[in-house]
Amino acid sequence: MTVGFLLGDATKEAANANPDVPFTIVDYAYADGDITNNNVLGQVFNTDEAAFLAGYLAAGMSKTGKVGTFGGVNIPPVTIFMDGFYYGVQQYNADNGTDVKVIGWDPKKQKGLFTENFESLDDGRTFAQNLVDEGADIVMPVAGPVGLGSAALATELGTDKLMIIGVDSDQFESDTANSAVYLTSVLKNMDVTTFNAIKSVVDGTFEGGVTVGTLENGGVGLAPYHDMESMVPAELAAQIDTIKAGIIDGSVSVKGE
């Protein structure tokens, strides 16, 4: 098992050199012909579906009318979060006659703010502070541990100045030092897809190809609001439930269409 888009080439080389060994890789899907013996299961996630809900929530909760996002590196598993977040904000604006702005990402140009690493907590603090200085009061860092620096800043500033939206796992539960600043988290439930991949090897049903995590199959989702649940208006929560149902049944597009 390998984890991460950046291990795509190395995993392909190893899998083709060991055609009888089953492989699975998180955040990568191969083109037809890349894997000679179909012995790699790629795990990819429609995180833009869950991030769309987070963007909708952020737009509804912002007091300044500006929300922000930044990434670690400009690669698809990162920018898919940012795309969904941006278009979720636009959906909220369309539904409610508002004009909430997104700072840090332009999905049409695929350009925005990136720390160029997934390690520096100092960068997380700096990038979040810059977004706050530009007027954002809710920020979604898509940069792994870098986001912990953003959360630490939010703890210092207070949630009236800055709230954080986590990614990948429920950051309220994992970042206990700063749990109070998390409005929600965009969940990539790779534990589910990885467990299923391992189980298929054990029971002899493993097949290469790709598996996709979605809102419908529980591969992605939005974490509970936890301590901030009482702050989220009932009408907004209901709107998000409606949007989620629309994404699942196909009546709502997360691609800005």
Side-chain angles (χ1 to χ4, degrees):
M1 177 182 170
T2 58
V3 182
F5 181 85
L6 299 178
L7 287 174
D9 290 342
T11 303
K12 178 175 72 173
E13 181 179 347
N16 287 338
N18 299 274
D20 295 327
V21 177
F23 285 73
T24 186
I25 178 171
V26 174
D27 280 340
Y28 206 94
Y30 293 98
D32 290 343
D34 280 355
I35 306 299
T36 55
N37 199 39
N38 196 38
N39 60 320
V40 182
L41 177 64
Q43 302 181 32
V44 296
F45 303 85
N46 289 352
T47 43
D48 53 346
E49 295 181 358
F52 190 94
L53 302 180
Y56 201 99
L57 171 67
M61 292 294 291
S62 176
K63 297 181 179 67
T64 64
K66 294 180 180 179
V67 298
T69 186
F70 68 87
V73 179
N74 191 341
I75 55 176
V78 170
T79 59
I80 189 173
F81 281 91
M82 301 165 80
D83 286 346
F85 183 78
Y86 178 94
Y87 288 124
V89 172
Q90 308 317 310
Q91 184 71 51
Y92 180 86
N93 287 335
D95 289 349
N96 297 278
T98 51
D99 189 27
V100 179
K101 304 293 187 186
V102 179
I103 308 170
W105 183 239
D106 183 336
K108 293 183 174 61
K109 296 179 180 178
Q110 289 287 293
K111 291 183 178 180
L113 299 176
F114 295 92
T115 61
E116 301 302 336
N117 72 86
F118 293 103
E119 296 87 31
S120 173
L121 271 64
D122 287 342
D123 283 349
R125 175 183 292 271
T126 299
F127 274 63
Q129 183 65 68
N130 290 341
L131 288 167
V132 170
D133 290 345
E134 292 187 56
D137 59 351
I138 300 174
V139 170
M140 184 181 75
V142 191
V146 172
L148 300 177
S150 303
L153 175 68
T155 296
E156 293 177 12
L157 295 178
T159 54
D160 57 326
K161 297 287 187 181
L162 177 62
M163 292 187 286
I164 301 294
I165 293 175
V167 299
D168 290 338
S169 61
D170 189 341
Q171 295 295 303
F172 176 90
E173 296 180 345
S174 57
D175 184 13
T176 54
N178 303 296
S179 59
V181 306
Y182 288 99
L183 177 57
T184 188
S185 295
V186 180
L187 304 177
K188 182 192 292 184
N189 295 322
M190 61 188 80
D191 56 333
V192 175
T193 49
T194 299
F195 178 89
N196 289 338
I198 295 169
K199 183 175 183 295
S200 73
V201 173
V202 173
D203 63 24
T205 61
F206 177 86
E207 292 183 359
V210 63
T211 183
V212 182
T214 66
L215 281 177
E216 184 173 15
N217 64 24
V220 301
L222 200 64
Y225 308 137
H226 293 296
D227 288 355
M228 295 196 187
E229 184 170 6
S230 63
M231 297 171 57
V232 178
E235 181 181 358
L236 176 58
Q239 284 181 306
I240 291 169
D241 288 342
T242 299
I243 293 293
K244 178 181 178 180
I247 294 171
I248 291 172
D249 69 23
S251 62
V252 174
S253 169
V254 301
K255 307 294 185 184
E257 299 164 349

